[in-house]
Amino acid sequence: MFLYTVIMAAAAVIAGILIAVSAKKAEDVAYTRLDKAGRITNILLLLLYICLAPLYLFLAMIARPRYEGFLGILGWLVSIIMGAAPLSCGLGLGFSAALRKKGKSRLGFAVQFAGVLGIAVNLILFFLFYGNLLRPLN
């Protein structure tokens, strides 16, 4: 899971930047207070995601299925979902910037919290399935 998690983290950074940069500003867009608040929130969320990255990346890296067969398949699905947490962070911030450029302030503000949801899902899955579907460290 180490390689998968590293690839997802790199893909998240690249995809988020590409989405934000490639979106062109619509001509008739006037930025509102929500857009300004969204910019500040994007910066704060980026700092939060960076600070929490060692935690959710470590949990995703140690998530390995414990069993074989059907329970092994469920363990792999849980591991894959946990490894996708960085992708939700990068895509959420990238789409937030792109949607604000297109004049969709509310949707842009809401989508930037996808990373918080992804990290929460990562933590919940880890604490629910560690030792059951997922193999313990020792």
Side-chain angles (χ1 to χ4, degrees), residues 89-119:
C89 296
L91 291 178
L93 293 177
F95 279 123
S96 174
L99 288 169
R100 271 199 317 275
K101 288 180 182 179
K102 300 211 184 264
K104 299 179 181 180
S105 302
R106 290 183 182 165
L107 186 59
F109 189 79
V111 78
Q112 68 186 350
F113 295 102
V116 174
L117 181 65
I119 293 171

Side-chain angles (χ1 to χ4, degrees), residues 1-3 5-6 56-64 82-83:
M1 288 309 299
F2 173 78
L3 185 61
T5 305
V6 170
Y56 65 83
L57 290 175
F58 175 72
L59 294 180
M61 286 179 194
I62 65 171
R64 293 178 143 193
M82 287 177 64

